[in-house]
Amino acid sequence: MADLKLNADGDLDITDGNLSLVTGDDAIVQQITIRLKLILGEWFLDNRVGLPVFEEIFVKNPDLTRVRSIYRQAVIGTPGVSSLEEFNLGIDNETRTLSVDFRARKTDGEILDYDNEFIIK
């Protein structure tokens, strides 16, 4: 699996005028991060794609079981991921921060560890 590499801001990584590729585990991690950051309706080519952040996640008294399910399904639906071994999710509504860490089994049988924090603007 290969993909165009994105920088920390989510923009294409262009070094010396050249695009970079990301492969292997780094490509899977990048795809997971994209899926977890994409807000429902945000992608202009298909406004049905993304997570229901403002509808179900950062709302007063969110259904945490449902929120965990939404994020778990986003991870499991990522190419290269076959299952989740562990999954932890934390939400801070005051700072609009969501933390996700998990251990996923890849389609090749190896384990991938992931730990990230997202600020929803």
Side-chain angles (χ1 to χ4, degrees):
M1 171 186 223
D3 203 356
L4 291 173
K5 185 176 181 181
L6 302 179
N7 63 23
D9 294 327
D11 296 322
L12 289 173
D13 185 5
I14 301 174
T15 306
D16 297 325
N18 296 312
L19 292 171
S20 300
L21 290 178
V22 62
T23 59
D25 285 357
D26 293 334
I28 295 171
V29 167
Q30 179 173 286
Q31 284 298 311
I32 291 169
T33 301
I34 289 169
R35 284 173 171 263
L36 298 183
K37 290 176 80 173
L38 187 61
I39 297 170
L40 182 65
E42 184 176 37
W43 191 36
F44 73 99
L45 292 175
D46 188 347
N47 61 11
R48 298 169 296 168
V49 174
L51 302 181
V53 173
F54 300 115
E55 295 82 3
E56 295 190 54
I57 298 164
F58 283 110
V59 297
K60 186 175 183 177
N61 301 319
D63 178 347
L64 295 180
T65 301
R66 171 79 177 128
V67 171
R68 282 187 185 89
S69 175
I70 290 167
Y71 279 87
R72 288 176 61 87
Q73 289 305 311
V75 173
I76 292 171
T78 304
V81 176
S82 64
S83 65
L84 284 169
E85 304 293 313
E86 295 175 26
F87 184 84
N88 298 299
L89 181 129
I91 297 174
D92 185 333
N93 281 321
E94 187 173 311
T95 62
R96 298 179 72 86
T97 304
L98 183 129
S99 59
V100 179
D101 67 87
F102 58 82
R103 292 177 58 94
R105 185 161 307 277
K106 301 182 304 177
T107 53
D108 67 5
E110 297 293 318
I111 295 291
L112 176 74
D113 290 315
Y114 183 93
D115 184 4
N116 209 335
E117 187 172 273
F118 305 100
I119 298 174
I120 308 298
K121 299 178 183 180

